[in-house]
Amino acid sequence: MKALQLEKPEHWRTIDIPEPSAPGPGDALVRVHRVGICGTDLSGYLGKMPFFSYPRIPGHELGVEVVAVGEGVAGVKPGDRCSVEPYINCQKCYSCRRGHSNCCEYHLTLGVHCDGGLRPEFIVPARKLHLAPNLSFDQCALVETLAIGCHAVNRAAPLSGENVLVIGAGPIGLSAIEFAKLSGARTIVMDMNPDRLAFVREKIGVPDTILARGDASDLEALAELTGGQLADAVIDATGSNKSMVRALEFATFAGRIVYVGITQQNLEFPHAPFMHRRELTLLASRNALPGDFTRIIGLIGDGKIDTRPWITHQAGFDEVAAVFPTWLKPETGVIKAIVHV
Ligand SMILES: NC(=O)c1ccc[n+]([C@@H]2O[C@H](COP(=O)([O-])OP(=O)(O)OC[C@H]3O[C@@H](n4cnc5c(N)ncnc54)[C@H](O)[C@@H]3O)[C@@H](O)[C@H]2O)c1
Ligand SMILES: [Zn+2]
Ligand SMILES: [Zn+2]
């Protein structure tokens, strides 16, 4: 059968791979229906993703159907529609034993560290499948992106009535915005791209946005919106080290800052005036937990998360190589592109 592989940066090729064998104990054979494309895939394509190795079959945001299950699998059966939790963990290390499967010491993300879903069928541990009978395959493929924001907001633990500032309104920031809204906190969104802020106001229904112009006007705008208090929790989803350093300034006294965006650069910030004086709590956020997937599938099924604004672009399996470069351009309005396999 045919699979789509990134042979090296900027080089897609269609390869022939053997049909998968019958699933072993604890595994399931799945048919891939939809693959969501995210920033990780775009960086992998450009050769800018340090965790990505080549050649690689990408695809970690998956809507799948179970074809067959191996011995001992009880949770899913052939025909079931599922979302995939693409974080393969060892189940043995200290992190896994304490329930932090999102940051297993030997963590592998499907489609990043090992081959993913841009192929008609593959074998996955059945414990990584989350049943989603009421979701479309498109919605199943959105669950992982939403899980990243869900976990980040859980780390920030906003309370109803608090002010949450999300910096960066790309797909990851948007996913955090969904859960900040659900927490009952007042959600404020900052970005330097006015089109992304317009999308947040018009399509996501968050009225309070701040345009970051690279001067102090953003801090003034936040102070005005919050009666001078600033944000109880700041979630930085930019991946920009400049923004991540400045994030401290937007937090109130005893506030929390969550870095869900990732930078390869060092972060340098003054300790005494912000970190110490305001007694800030700084948190990282990596991947997501199994319970986040279950919760999101329920929220989409109940209509509490509207997935309609999310999918802006679609393509067939055979079109990926040709259209992929256009998905690199934010000016084409891409939030989420979905590949039909
Ligand atoms: N924590 C995780 O497990 C995880 C998972 C996936 C992605 N990520 C990371 O999340 C980050 C965001 O991903 P994305 O796909 O949404 O990226 P994106 O590039 O689409 O979005 C980033 C947004 O931040 C804005 N921005 C950049 N610099 C800014 C600044 N100085 N001030 C205000 N806004 C600024 C951009 O205009 C853009 O809208 C990336 O760093 C990515 O690697 C983290
Ligand atoms: Zn992703
Ligand atoms: Zn582990």
Side-chain angles (χ1 to χ4, degrees), residues 39 58 87 130 146 173 264 302 319:
Y87 320 127
H130 293 268
L146 287 163
Q264 296 301 323
D302 293 343
E319 298 170 300

Side-chain angles (χ1 to χ4, degrees), residues 38-40 42-43 49 51 60-61 87 144 148 151-152 167-174 190-193 196 210-214 218 236-244 259-263 284-288 330 334-336:
C38 88
T40 303
L42 302 176
S43 311
M49 177 67 179
F51 318 128
H60 61 276
E61 303 184 356
Y87 320 127
E144 193 266 350
I148 302 293
H151 186 62
I167 313 177
I172 298 299
L174 291 172
M190 182 183 292
D191 200 295
M192 54 201 249
N193 179 339
R196 287 224 153 148
I210 298 172
L211 183 64
R213 301 170 194 273
D218 46 14
D236 195 301
T238 62
S240 149
N241 68 322
K242 238 181 176 171
S243 173
M244 290 163 83
Y259 289 152
V260 64
I262 306 166
T263 179
S285 181
R286 184 177 177 197
N287 301 329
V334 186
I335 299 295
K336 180 61 63 190

Side-chain angles (χ1 to χ4, degrees), residues 1-2 16-22 29 120-123:
M1 64 187 187
K2 301 223 177 299
D16 270 313
I17 55 169
E19 301 278 333
S21 48
L29 173 65
E121 291 186 348
F122 73 108
I123 287 176

Side-chain angles (χ1 to χ4, degrees), residues 89 91-105 289:
N89 65 311
Q91 304 186 83
K92 292 187 187 117
C93 73
Y94 188 49
S95 292
C96 286
R97 293 200 318 270
R98 289 183 301 146
H100 300 286
S101 56
N102 61 318
C103 51
C104 166
E105 291 170 36
L289 290 165

Side-chain angles (χ1 to χ4, degrees), residues 83-87 89 99-102 127-131 143-144 146-152 154 179 182 286-300 305:
S83 179
V84 179
E85 179 195 332
Y87 320 127
N89 65 311
H100 300 286
S101 56
N102 61 318
R127 64 191 170 85
K128 295 292 167 186
L129 297 174
H130 293 268
L131 280 172
V143 174
E144 193 266 350
L146 287 163
I148 302 293
C150 178
H151 186 62
N154 288 345
F179 297 92
L182 285 166
R286 184 177 177 197
N287 301 329
L289 290 165
D292 300 325
F293 285 74
T294 318
R295 179 177 171 220
I296 293 161
I297 289 167
L299 288 167
I300 296 174
I305 293 179

Side-chain angles (χ1 to χ4, degrees), residues 142-336:
L142 276 180
V143 174
E144 193 266 350
T145 296
L146 287 163
I148 302 293
C150 178
H151 186 62
V153 173
N154 288 345
R155 299 282 286 158
L159 299 172
S160 178
E162 284 191 330
N163 292 304
V164 175
L165 174 68
V166 178
I167 313 177
I172 298 299
L174 291 172
S175 71
I177 292 166
E178 297 282 2
F179 297 92
K181 277 167 64 186
L182 285 166
S183 73
R186 194 258 197 106
T187 307
I188 301 167
V189 181
M190 182 183 292
D191 200 295
M192 54 201 249
N193 179 339
D195 296 338
R196 287 224 153 148
L197 294 179
F199 184 87
V200 166
R201 289 190 303 269
E202 289 154 22
K203 300 280 166 62
I204 308 291
V206 174
D208 296 319
T209 63
I210 298 172
L211 183 64
R213 301 170 194 273
D215 57 24
S217 63
D218 46 14
L219 186 59
E220 286 158 20
L222 180 67
E224 195 167 313
L225 282 169
T226 58
Q229 262 175 242
L230 305 182
D232 299 273
V234 180
I235 299 175
D236 195 301
T238 62
S240 149
N241 68 322
K242 238 181 176 171
S243 173
M244 290 163 83
V245 166
R246 274 209 76 209
L248 276 63
E249 294 180 36
F250 300 122
T252 191
F253 285 74
R256 291 94 66 196
I257 294 133
V258 176
Y259 289 152
V260 64
I262 306 166
T263 179
Q264 296 301 323
Q265 288 169 277
N266 290 348
L267 296 177
E268 206 174 290
F269 46 73
H271 174 248
F274 295 110
M275 204 59 205
H276 169 76
R277 186 162 168 270
R278 295 191 189 174
E279 200 189 39
L280 300 177
T281 301
L282 185 54
L283 298 136
S285 181
R286 184 177 177 197
N287 301 329
L289 290 165
D292 300 325
F293 285 74
T294 318
R295 179 177 171 220
I296 293 161
I297 289 167
L299 288 167
I300 296 174
D302 293 343
K304 299 214 169 81
I305 293 179
D306 180 3
T307 57
R308 284 172 300 180
W310 275 84
I311 299 172
T312 52
H313 292 66
Q314 311 245 6
F317 195 71
D318 298 328
E319 298 170 300
V320 171
V323 298
F324 202 86
T326 66
W327 295 342
L328 299 164
K329 301 182 185 134
E331 60 271 24
T332 56
V334 186
I335 299 295
K336 180 61 63 190

